[in-house]
Amino acid sequence: MKWSELTIARLACACFFICPGITYGVLTSRLPALKAQTGASDGQIGMFLLSLGGASLIALFSSSWLISQWNSRVVLKTGTALLLVSTILAGVCHEPLQLTGVFIVYGLGTGLVDVSMNVQGLLVERRYKEPSMSLMHAFFSLGVILGALSGSLFAALEIPYLLNALCALGIYACCLPWASRRLLAEVPMGSNCHREGRKNSSGVPFFVILCGLVSMMAYAAEGSVAEWGSLFLHSVKNAPEETAALVYAVFSAAALISRLSGDRLRKQFGDYSLALGGAMMAACGMACVLFSLHPVACLAGYTMMGVGLAPLVPMLFSRAGRCRGVSASKASAIVSVLSYSGMLFFPPLLGLLANERGLENALLVVLCLCGLLCVGSFIFWRPRRRRRSVK
């Protein structure tokens, strides 16, 4: 059976969406192993993540310029290489300072990949006139699942982190040569902005900024799951390491299922209903995590969070990409900078708060964040026009 041109373009782009997912899944699911390997404290783990966030923001701010100088394909390949190398190098670190350096390199790769892969996703949508961002982000979730499941398996078998990373990433790298040759080239965009993207004084569509702010809150909540979920279950709920390593896996499995049906759900319920319902489900899930006594119930709560948060980010990237007065790279960079500032800086701040007040109390902030997402969903609300009655 011969694949269509659209299918090939989607699969090639999706291969690069898997990379940050699988590396992130391996890295975060084995944080307890890396913590023991380097002798780091909770506060130092927070500083590792803070250095990752700073490096990522530097890359995010420069990504749009780099793409304009070269192209999104070159930037995407470079960032992917940094992610793969840094994730493997974490396995040879035995000092907290060494791991800090590795997290900085990983952060640079994260920033470059995030903007350039979303540019490629927007190019697929614009060229073929088919919604694809939800599917692309589903492959990111698939990568996280594969990475986290490998982390859980290798942790259960008491196999060191380095061998875990080499096996998982070595298998994945086999598909990169095929996908690299099939990435799309940038095309010039129109000059007229979409009706809902009012421009501010800097020429950036205001709706793009709003999408970035809401995405920032969603990413902050997701980042708390990825970077503190396994440690929370292991240290607070007394779950074994192999069970704690499943946190981001179950979250991402739920997100994967939700994102695979995301485009259909948008057509059926509309953006506002989908965003509000998802935020409310995420809040209920986080409450279950905090107040349940059994680790399995906590995993169920993280599953609810995955279902609720999953449709938000690809929907926001897609809506921002509709503004024709801004290039795909610029729209992606703006939303990425705002959203990843939440994902990359919020979890480290949780670490500093956990060092002072305890991890369980620190995660109460995440529950408040889910409440703010319910309020943020109103950016998609549109009042229904009343029909005038004819007398």
Side-chain angles (χ1 to χ4, degrees), residues 207 211 271-272 275 315-316 319 376-382:
F207 188 76
C211 287
D271 291 349
Y272 167 66
M315 179 173 66
L316 291 164
R319 290 285 290 267
S377 64
F378 278 86
I379 68 169
F380 298 125
W381 180 71
R382 290 181 177 179

Side-chain angles (χ1 to χ4, degrees), residues 176-382:
L176 287 179
W178 175 86
S180 299
R181 296 191 298 268
R182 290 165 174 83
L183 294 175
L184 299 180
E186 281 81 357
V187 293
M189 301 301 171
S191 57
N192 296 324
C193 184
H194 190 271
R195 184 171 53 186
E196 68 184 354
R198 293 180 300 158
K199 293 185 179 181
N200 59 19
S201 58
S202 64
V204 176
F206 184 62
F207 188 76
V208 173
I209 296 177
L210 289 178
C211 287
L213 292 174
V214 177
S215 184
M216 176 180 67
M217 294 186 288
Y219 265 67
E222 181 176 346
S224 70
V225 178
E227 295 171 4
W228 290 107
S230 60
L231 289 174
F232 176 72
L233 255 67
H234 185 59
S235 60
V236 178
K237 301 297 183 178
N238 299 317
E241 185 181 344
E242 57 269 25
T243 301
L246 289 172
V247 167
Y248 205 38
V250 298
F251 176 92
S252 298
L256 173 63
I257 296 172
S258 181
R259 284 172 175 170
L260 286 174
S261 58
D263 295 324
R264 188 182 75 250
L265 290 174
R266 288 182 66 184
K267 293 179 180 179
Q268 184 174 355
F269 298 105
D271 291 349
Y272 167 66
S273 298
L274 187 60
L276 180 59
M280 293 176 65
M281 180 175 291
C284 293
M286 191 64 208
C288 181
V289 169
L290 290 172
F291 303 118
S292 297
L293 299 178
H294 199 280
V296 175
C298 294
L299 290 177
Y302 280 125
T303 302
M304 292 177 63
M305 287 189 70
V307 173
L309 292 175
L312 292 175
V313 173
M315 179 173 66
L316 291 164
F317 270 102
S318 180
R319 290 285 290 267
R322 291 181 185 178
C323 289
R324 299 177 183 175
V326 62
S327 66
S329 61
K330 190 173 183 180
S332 179
I334 291 170
V335 177
S336 295
V337 167
L338 291 172
S339 59
Y340 268 83
S341 64
M343 186 174 190
L344 299 173
F345 281 108
F346 183 74
L349 293 177
L350 281 180
L352 299 177
L353 183 60
N355 207 41
E356 295 292 330
R357 301 293 181 180
L359 185 55
E360 190 169 13
N361 291 327
L363 291 181
L364 286 170
V365 180
V366 182
L367 183 59
C368 297
L369 197 63
C370 293
L372 289 176
L373 276 175
C374 295
V375 178
S377 64
F378 278 86
I379 68 169
F380 298 125
W381 180 71
R382 290 181 177 179

Side-chain angles (χ1 to χ4, degrees), residues 59-76 112 115-116 119-120 123 185-187 327-331 333:
L60 286 170
F61 278 115
S62 59
S63 291
S64 182
W65 179 82
L66 290 173
I67 291 173
S68 67
Q69 295 299 306
W70 291 282
N71 55 63
S72 62
R73 292 170 294 180
V74 173
V75 175
L76 183 55
L112 295 177
V115 175
S116 53
V119 169
Q120 284 291 317
L123 290 176
E186 281 81 357
V187 293
S327 66
S329 61
K330 190 173 183 180

